[in-house]
Amino acid sequence: MTDNSDPLIRRRTVLLGTGATAAALTVGAAGTHKPATAGHETGRTAPVAATAVCTLTKELTEGPYYLDRALVRADLTEGKPGIALKLALTVVDDGTCAPLNRALVELWHSDALGEYSGFVGNNGHQEPDNGTFLRGGVLTGSDGIARITTIYPGWYRGRCIHIHVKVHTNVTLTSDGSFSGGQELHTGQLFVDEALTTVVARVSPYSTNTVPRTTLAQDGIYGNGGAAAGLMTVTGSTTAGYTGSLTLGIDQG
């Protein structure tokens, strides 16, 4: 199923940006790659972006699977099977390049079979659906970094592998483990280089996904936009897990 408009899901259109050189360096976005080492893997990793700058990039759709009740938590997995993916996302002001403290970075994505919590079955696979797996977010620290643990996403019909992201500021944490209020400044998507996904797609449970896979080059939303459109720097292996990083430049108005 493609990311398209759905009248039942509210929609916001904002911008996702790259960040400052200094901020990118803090999460190793411009550093030396650790090669992949597992079995038949080639050691290829997602390409390091060119020197990051504090500019905004293209708008990217929220998609049809957003649920407005994200939990504030650092681990989104809830026991879902898949290859570990640890993310370090740095949020900076696009004008000053200064890191944003206490910005809430919210993520949601499909599981290894391409199913979203709250919408299980839309990609042709039946499994328990609690409406919360692989959804949530955390506040950035004083360094502007949000650190989140999840799994490598699967794919669904018509889209390449991706992770949805929103950035909120001035939120209030609530007693039920969620958040309220604040300003939603950015909506975008995070992507992974096709060389890594090709390897991941051979490994169970991803290999049991019955839906044909759309590649990064075929995806109409990514549009071959590189880091400016959300392509993360990702290193690791299918056995040890992956780490991903990207700097998001935020327009605070």
Side-chain angles (χ1 to χ4, degrees):
M1 176 170 292
T2 57
D3 274 1
N4 49 29
S5 58
D6 185 331
L8 298 180
I9 307 298
R10 65 181 177 78
R11 192 165 311 287
R12 308 170 194 139
T13 303
V14 283
L15 299 176
L16 170 70
T18 56
T21 301
L25 290 173
T26 66
V27 293
T32 302
H33 278 219
K34 175 183 176 182
T37 58
H40 57 272
E41 295 181 44
T42 63
R44 297 175 64 187
T45 60
V48 176
T51 302
V53 293
C54 296
T55 57
L56 296 172
T57 60
K58 68 171 70 175
E59 299 177 1
L60 296 175
T61 179
E62 178 183 275
Y65 296 127
Y66 182 64
L67 294 177
D68 195 11
R69 54 175 183 265
L71 297 173
V72 178
R73 55 183 181 174
D75 190 330
L76 314 184
T77 57
E78 295 190 16
K80 294 296 290 185
I83 299 169
L85 176 63
K86 295 183 180 295
L87 299 174
L89 303 174
T90 303
V91 182
V92 300
D93 182 278
D94 74 299
T96 66
C97 299
L100 270 61
N101 187 26
R102 294 186 62 80
L104 191 133
V105 177
E106 178 187 4
L107 303 180
W108 70 101
H109 64 83
S110 69
D111 67 7
L113 298 182
E115 301 290 348
Y116 281 84
S117 57
F119 302 88
V120 167
N122 280 7
N123 202 42
H125 307 89
Q126 296 304 315
E127 57 189 45
D129 186 358
N130 62 4
T132 62
F133 65 77
L134 305 177
R135 296 179 183 273
V138 297
L139 295 172
T140 59
S142 58
D143 56 2
I145 301 177
R147 301 185 186 277
I148 298 175
T149 298
T150 187
I151 62 170
Y152 202 102
W155 62 93
Y156 56 96
R157 191 176 302 276
R159 285 301 318 278
C160 70
I161 282 180
H162 61 282
I163 298 173
H164 293 271
V165 58
K166 286 183 182 288
V167 178
H168 312 256
T169 55
N170 301 315
V171 301
T172 299
L173 302 186
T174 56
S175 59
D176 62 356
S178 186
F179 67 94
S180 64
Q183 295 79 46
E184 180 189 304
L185 297 183
H186 290 260
T187 296
Q189 297 180 23
L190 309 175
F191 299 94
V192 185
D193 184 76
E194 190 63 26
L196 294 184
T197 294
T198 298
V199 172
V200 169
R202 302 188 189 112
V203 177
S204 182
Y206 303 90
S207 58
T208 65
N209 189 338
T210 60
V211 172
R213 187 166 64 82
T214 297
T215 66
L216 200 66
Q218 295 168 334
D219 189 78
I221 292 176
Y222 171 66
N224 198 30
L231 185 64
M232 296 186 293
T233 297
V234 179
T235 63
S237 69
T238 58
T239 53
Y242 291 100
T243 60
S245 62
L246 188 70
T247 300
L248 307 178
I250 300 303
D251 180 5
Q252 298 191 80

